[in-house]
Amino acid sequence: MRSGSGVCHALGLTSAMHPLVTYIKFLTMQHSAVPPGERFANMSSDSDHRIAPPLVDLPIATAERGFYDGFSRQVTIPGKIVITLLIVWAIFFPVNAAETLDAVNSSIIREFAGWYIYLVAAIMAVCLALALIPMTGRLRIGLDDEQPEFSRLSWFSMLFGAGIGIGMLTYAVGEPMAHFSNNPAIIDGSVAARSAEAVPSAYLYTFLHWGIAAWATYALVGLAIGYVAYRRGLPLTIRSALAPLFGRAMSGIAGHIVDVVAVVATLLGVAVTMGLGVEQFIAGAARLGASDILLDDDGTSSALAIIVSLVLLVGASTLSAMSGVGKGIKWLSNINLILSFALLALFLFVGAGFFGLELLGTGLLTYLAKVVPTSLTHFMSDGTPVGEALMQWQLDWTVFYWAWWIAFAPFVGMFVARISRGRTIREYVLGVILVPSLLCFVWMALAGGTAIELELGGVANGTIVDAPISDQLFATLSVMLSPLAMTLVTGLVVVLLITYLVTSADSAILIVNTINGAGETDGRRRRHILFWGASLALIVGSMLILGGIDAIRVTMIIGALPFSFVTALMLVAILKAIVFDLVRLRHGVAVTTDEIKA
């Protein structure tokens, strides 16, 4: 057998890759006849290079005075310029913006569909592997003897707040109903649309989009950031996640670019969520008797309704962000939790509870049995109408979702990293993936199942399935409840939407400020909060008026593409960080900041 250095030389690897080869050799020796006590000794005697401790210092230059005091000018200013140009373009050149965005989106989504599909599949596989492999699963996101900052119940509650939000209120009914009418099984003729036979496939794809794939993406970004921030003392920002690959280079222009890309992706990802919420907020308010003012003749939201809604909602979000996490987000999250469970209980006890629970059980079994092949399926046009329809369906649904989750990952990932310090990788990954996924599945099964049963039983007569997606939840409530009860519950949903919209925008503004502040969570400045709040409102408003929610979706998909490459690098970086740390532990080399600086 060649020595470690010989293998490196033969493969043309640099000395920096030597620990990885050493670790592979160690794993090989575990299955050999070498006695356990001699394995480490033999491995060490073959090593010609000392394994260096990890990087524990990543300085990021920030201004010490003036308007940008405490912020990185190299990140904040370019981020503001990109967002400002996008807003100016959409407002003053709407026709050109619409045509250009649509053309660019069509090219990107077709050319990079396979990239998104296989990237997310790889993320799912790596996250689950890191959790299930004993050696990696027991490493901590923090110092070796550090205990979690939050109790498990509090941690799960905060994951609940991240997992159930505006998307649930829009898609809990909207997505099962959409796939009830059209999904790959319907397109290829296996089942009939809007039939009982279409329900299993409708829930397979609903769970596919809102399950492991979404939360593995968030878990990866959070793990890549949290691992180096809490074990190695690096700043809690996006660029730090790539330090295991590029080292101190992330202090310079490369790191600035990564953080700028993350800022833009975060704002565009949150803009989709805000756009969905604003559309549904207006639909709910219209159901309460203000339709003449809020809706145009074609039933879509009026420009005046969009502007007034955004001024109120984003204005409240900005004020909440200024008050800080303790007074703003925490207070609103408690309201979210109570109202969400109240609405869920309504569907369980007043809606089709038994049917929904049955869908939950059968849907979970089908999803777990088919999640691997379905996640790896890439529909490509074969020139036939069916082939073209399958490809277009995947672009409109799966690829859109994968881009949305990636664009949303800096926001959710940093939040999840912040609340997960001290947990093992196994507990972190399984908790972040399984708990929110299950909660999403429960919502989809109970709310969507109620709507589907009302349609299958002929009670709804198409009033739910034919309603716009932003109005399908309210349409379901109008069928299942009396007029008075429907008005009361619709008012509750509108209030819940307000709290979710304010919380989402509030959190996004603070996350963007954290990235701009080189990971400093206490360095908020009011003028910057005002800028990002106004920018978010203008992005959502201009795009909704320009072309509705589709315009925001198109912009987000374009903005998500650069961050998808950052995410791929994060995948490699966290693997390298963990594997090299295992090698360091075998060699007795310090791996955490307290050991290295002692």
Side-chain angles (χ1 to χ4, degrees):
M1 179 182 291
R2 291 173 182 252
S3 68
S5 58
V7 172
C8 285
H9 179 75
L11 295 178
L13 300 175
T14 64
S15 60
M17 291 299 294
H18 177 259
L20 180 58
V21 177
T22 305
Y23 182 61
I24 292 171
K25 180 180 176 183
F26 170 74
L27 293 178
T28 304
M29 292 174 66
Q30 283 190 309
H31 300 286
S32 70
V34 180
E38 298 178 15
R39 290 174 189 161
F40 179 74
N42 288 344
M43 189 173 67
S44 299
S45 63
D46 285 341
S47 302
D48 299 327
H49 303 278
R50 175 175 174 76
I51 300 175
L55 177 69
V56 294
D57 183 32
L58 189 68
I60 302 174
T62 57
E64 297 181 357
R65 60 181 179 274
F67 186 78
Y68 289 97
D69 179 26
F71 286 81
S72 169
R73 289 193 181 95
Q74 295 87 346
V75 175
T76 309
I77 294 175
K80 287 182 175 181
I81 290 173
V82 172
I83 294 300
T84 300
L85 289 176
L86 178 62
I87 292 169
V88 169
W89 187 33
I91 292 176
F92 294 102
F93 306 96
V95 175
N96 178 265
E99 292 176 351
T100 304
L101 288 173
D102 186 60
V104 174
N105 173 68
S106 297
S107 299
I108 285 178
I109 203 167
R110 285 178 178 265
E111 295 299 325
F112 289 92
W115 163 250
Y116 279 121
I117 290 168
Y118 297 126
L119 172 61
V120 171
I123 290 171
M124 293 165 63
V126 168
C127 284
L128 292 175
L130 290 175
L132 298 177
I133 295 173
M135 287 181 293
T136 58
R138 62 173 172 255
L139 291 175
R140 286 195 180 273
I141 305 173
L143 307 181
D144 290 335
D145 58 350
E146 193 167 5
Q147 295 304 307
E149 181 180 357
F150 302 101
S151 69
R152 190 167 292 171
L153 179 61
S154 297
W155 186 57
F156 284 151
S157 297
M158 286 185 280
L159 290 177
F160 171 89
I164 304 296
I166 298 167
M168 281 292 93
L169 291 178
T170 300
Y171 285 105
V173 173
E175 178 138 3
M177 292 304 292
H179 299 329
F180 179 57
S181 300
N182 188 41
N183 69 59
I186 295 171
I187 293 171
D188 66 19
S190 301
V191 297
R194 302 186 181 183
S195 66
E197 291 74 22
V199 175
S201 56
Y203 271 88
L204 168 63
Y205 290 105
T206 297
F207 287 2
L208 173 71
H209 295 152
W210 289 86
I212 296 174
W215 286 95
T217 304
Y218 301 152
L220 171 75
V221 173
L223 178 61
I225 297 169
Y227 189 85
V228 297
Y230 299 135
R231 284 183 72 84
R232 303 179 179 183
L234 302 188
L236 188 70
T237 188
I238 303 300
R239 72 172 77 190
S240 296
L242 301 186
L245 281 181
F246 303 109
R248 292 186 181 276
M250 299 314 296
S251 288
I253 188 170
H256 302 329
I257 292 172
V258 168
D259 280 349
V260 170
V261 167
V263 166
V264 174
T266 297
L267 285 171
L268 296 181
V270 173
V272 173
T273 302
M274 291 291 294
L276 290 169
V278 168
E279 292 269 81
Q280 194 168 29
F281 171 77
I282 294 172
R287 287 270 181 178
L288 294 175
S291 58
D292 293 341
I293 301 174
L294 300 177
L295 302 179
D296 289 331
D297 294 337
D298 60 358
T300 59
S301 302
S302 68
L304 178 62
I306 293 170
I307 293 170
V308 172
S309 298
L310 284 169
V311 169
L312 293 174
L313 295 169
V314 179
S317 304
T318 305
L319 292 175
S320 176
M322 289 181 177
S323 72
V325 177
K327 296 179 181 178
I329 298 174
K330 185 176 180 180
W331 182 73
L332 290 170
S333 296
N334 292 334
I335 297 177
N336 292 349
L337 191 65
I338 295 169
L339 294 180
S340 296
F341 273 119
L343 185 60
L344 196 61
L346 177 73
F347 284 110
L348 177 62
F349 296 110
V350 181
F354 288 111
F355 182 64
L357 292 174
E358 181 183 353
L359 284 178
L360 178 62
T362 57
L364 269 173
L365 291 175
T366 303
Y367 170 67
L368 293 175
K370 297 185 177 181
V371 62
V372 174
T374 308
S375 299
L376 293 172
T377 298
H378 180 198
F379 294 120
M380 301 182 70
S381 178
D382 56 5
T384 65
V386 171
E388 184 67 26
L390 286 171
M391 182 186 70
Q392 192 59 51
W393 179 91
Q394 189 173 53
L395 296 179
D396 291 340
W397 286 97
T398 307
V399 176
F400 160 71
Y401 272 123
W402 287 186
W404 189 10
W405 304 150
I406 288 171
F408 218 52
F411 167 42
V412 180
M414 285 189 66
F415 170 76
V416 172
R418 172 64 187 84
I419 66 173
S420 301
R421 181 169 187 166
R423 301 199 177 273
T424 65
I425 290 177
R426 179 177 297 108
E427 183 182 17
Y428 167 85
V429 170
L430 295 181
V432 172
I433 291 177
L434 298 183
V435 173
S437 294
L438 185 58
L439 288 169
C440 289
F441 295 165
V442 170
W443 265 92
M444 299 288 189
L446 293 178
T450 297
I452 287 176
E453 186 179 67
L454 292 172
E455 288 289 358
L456 286 175
V459 179
N461 290 320
T463 57
I464 300 174
V465 73
D466 292 331
I469 192 169
S470 61
D471 193 42
Q472 285 182 330
L473 174 60
F474 302 114
T476 303
L477 294 173
S478 69
V479 175
M480 64 182 278
L481 300 174
S482 67
L484 177 59
M486 183 269 178
T487 300
L488 292 174
V489 175
T490 297
L492 180 148
V493 174
V494 169
V495 172
L496 184 57
L497 272 167
I498 292 172
T499 61
Y500 274 132
L501 282 163
V502 172
T503 304
S504 295
D506 179 342
S507 303
I509 292 167
L510 292 178
I511 289 296
V512 167
N513 254 12
T514 300
I515 297 172
N516 289 329
E520 177 55 60
T521 57
D522 296 326
R524 296 184 299 274
R525 297 293 184 273
R526 291 190 175 187
R527 49 185 170 264
H528 298 290
I529 288 176
L530 287 171
F531 176 86
W532 295 116
S535 297
L536 185 59
L538 288 171
I539 292 171
V540 175
S542 61
M543 291 299 169
L544 281 178
I545 295 171
L546 174 67
I549 194 64
D550 287 340
I552 302 180
R553 289 163 57 120
V554 166
T555 309
M556 181 276 298
I557 288 172
I558 295 170
L561 182 61
F563 193 74
S564 71
F565 297 110
V566 175
T567 305
L569 290 172
M570 284 184 172
L571 184 68
V572 179
I574 189 60
L575 282 174
K576 179 184 176 184
I578 290 173
V579 169
F580 277 42
D581 274 1
L582 289 173
V583 175
R584 292 183 181 104
L585 289 171
R586 293 291 176 183
H587 282 263
V589 177
V591 295
T592 57
T593 181
D594 62 332
E595 296 172 341
I596 295 170
K597 293 182 178 181

